[in-house]
Amino acid sequence: MTRLNLSLACWAYDRTEALQTGAVRPDGIDLNFQALEVEETFFRMAKFQEFDVSEMSMSSYCVTLARDNPPFIAIPVFPSRFFRHSCIFVSAKSGIERPADLVGKRIGVPEYQMTAPVWIRGILQDEYGVDPSSVTYVTGGEESPGRDEKLKLDLPDKFRVEPVGPTQTLTRMLADGGIDALHTARAPSTFYSEPDKVRRLFPDFVDVEKAYYAKTGIFPIMHVVAIRREVYEQNRWIAQALYKAFVEAQQQTYEQLKVSASLKTMLPWQIAMVEDTIATMGSNWWPYGVEPNRAVIETFTRYHHEQGLSGRRLTVEEMFAPETFAEFVI
């Protein structure tokens, strides 16, 4: 029987391992799984549409939906989720001690449209009253110079965004005081190499993030799985086939993380962490699917619109393949 060959670019997560090894095979599909760093995957998919299917920044995906002919359609699989309070770094020279001190400051972001900074700006606005338009954003490479926005943006004038110089990096600028703070996905190298110059805004971030989850019920979504629209339109059945496979692969990981005979990861207290997570967030703490995530997605689309990245607030229904909104019942 002929199977459809599809390329899939995605980082080598525990929750996608079974797809990478072939232990889980989507119905009717042979996957060419390419385990790439997320920045490479995003760049190649957003710029050149190199893959049939790929992990994609949720913000970048939302930006593409505003185009006349949107190039991608997503399925409600979220390979990356992350509480981002831990990803706000401040320069020791800035005098910043609390969120309100960010107002009027110069804040680095590798790209304004990155998903992590969208969530950070939104959380700072909702929880601490920091208006996203009250600061100046400085964009550029975090560790290496020369990074640009992957997608062209058309922001309202109230948002002040300026690029760094051609040889500058945000990591170095943060340590030297050239920027006051950094909203990012990756911890800057100077946080570890020069801890006297760079620190977290929330040093007790685990407690802060648990309190945020208890209040809001939000576990922020960072990435979706996007299909090139022309591939999807030629074979509409692949949306459900891929969705089912991702769910099955994730379910294997859920079970493996509970095994105490031999630890799946190198975390010494893995079992305690799993049990604590279940007690805090429930047994399906990393849900896929539309309905379990509707409130999280709607919060993100509000932030995306309020921050000038989408001309109107996107609906959940236009973001995902309709075949993934319901499942058959016997």
Side-chain angles (χ1 to χ4, degrees):
M1 182 179 296
T2 301
R3 298 172 64 87
L4 183 64
N5 291 302
L6 295 179
S7 58
L8 167 63
C10 184
W11 198 40
Y13 298 108
D14 58 356
R15 45 212 171 269
T16 59
E17 180 182 11
L19 294 171
Q20 184 178 3
T21 63
V24 170
R25 300 177 71 196
D27 296 337
I29 297 171
D30 285 330
L31 287 179
N32 177 354
F33 192 111
Q34 299 184 44
L36 304 175
E37 293 282 355
V38 295
E39 290 90 347
E40 179 178 357
T41 297
F42 295 170
F43 177 81
R44 292 171 64 180
M45 191 63 157
K47 284 280 190 182
F48 307 113
Q49 301 180 30
E50 289 187 42
F51 311 104
D52 298 314
V53 187
S54 89
E55 178 179 11
M56 176 171 276
S57 153
M58 186 154 81
S59 177
S60 297
Y61 172 62
C62 288
V63 170
T64 69
L65 289 178
R67 296 178 179 177
D68 291 337
N69 296 296
F72 310 110
I73 185 70
I75 60 175
V77 169
F78 312 111
S80 177
R81 305 180 80 129
F82 207 106
F83 293 105
R84 289 297 181 188
H85 295 73
S86 66
C87 297
I88 307 171
F89 297 88
V90 298
S91 170
K93 296 182 178 181
S94 68
I96 296 171
E97 298 294 337
R98 56 197 179 94
D101 296 335
L102 293 166
V103 174
K105 296 297 195 293
R106 288 167 54 81
I107 297 178
V109 287
E111 296 180 45
Y112 181 82
Q113 63 85 33
M114 278 176 60
T115 304
V118 173
W119 275 111
I120 291 169
R121 292 188 294 261
I123 290 169
L124 286 171
Q125 174 179 258
D126 280 0
E127 304 300 318
Y128 303 98
V130 180
D131 190 318
S133 66
S134 67
V135 309
T136 297
Y137 299 100
V138 181
T139 63
E142 186 169 328
E143 301 291 341
S144 301
R147 181 168 179 171
D148 298 317
E149 296 277 354
K150 287 186 292 294
L151 301 169
K152 183 179 179 181
L153 304 180
D154 183 17
L155 301 175
D157 292 340
K158 68 177 181 176
F159 296 106
R160 299 182 297 277
V161 181
E162 60 186 51
V164 301
T167 63
Q168 292 179 302
T169 66
L170 297 177
T171 296
R172 187 71 261 152
M173 291 176 72
L174 184 66
D176 294 342
I179 54 176
D180 300 299
L182 176 67
H183 296 169
T184 186
R186 290 182 181 269
S189 58
T190 48
F191 172 71
Y192 299 105
S193 63
E194 302 177 52
D196 58 324
K197 297 181 179 180
V198 177
R199 59 179 176 79
R200 283 191 170 100
L201 178 61
F202 297 104
D204 56 342
F205 63 88
V206 174
D207 290 339
V208 173
E209 290 169 352
K210 285 185 175 181
Y212 169 77
Y213 180 78
K215 177 183 177 181
T216 66
I218 291 174
F219 183 14
I221 293 169
M222 296 294 132
H223 305 166
V224 297
V225 171
I227 308 170
R228 280 198 296 120
R229 196 172 289 266
E230 63 187 82
V231 174
Y232 162 74
E233 293 292 354
Q234 291 169 4
N235 301 278
R236 295 283 293 262
W237 56 271
I238 67 175
Q240 185 62 237
L242 289 167
Y243 176 74
K244 287 169 53 182
F246 272 97
V247 170
E248 184 179 349
Q250 183 199 43
Q251 189 58 45
Q252 290 190 12
T253 301
Y254 272 138
E255 297 305 318
Q256 292 164 353
L257 288 174
K258 298 174 187 175
V259 174
S260 58
S262 182
L263 294 177
K264 174 71 173 178
T265 73
M266 293 171 61
L267 297 172
W269 293 281
Q270 170 190 306
I271 302 302
M273 291 179 181
V274 170
E275 292 174 354
D276 179 66
T277 299
I278 292 173
T280 303
M281 302 175 70
S283 58
N284 184 21
W285 66 84
W286 196 299
Y288 292 166
V290 171
E291 291 309 322
N293 292 286
R294 182 175 287 273
V296 180
I297 297 165
E298 289 179 341
T299 299
F300 182 81
T301 59
R302 172 168 65 86
Y303 290 163
H304 205 260
H305 175 56
E306 291 174 346
Q307 295 170 28
L309 287 164
S310 44
R312 60 176 176 80
R313 187 170 173 182
L314 298 170
T315 67
V316 174
E317 281 67 27
E318 67 188 296
M319 291 178 64
F320 301 100
E323 295 84 1
T324 61
F325 278 73
E327 300 180 29
F328 74 94
V329 176
I330 296 176

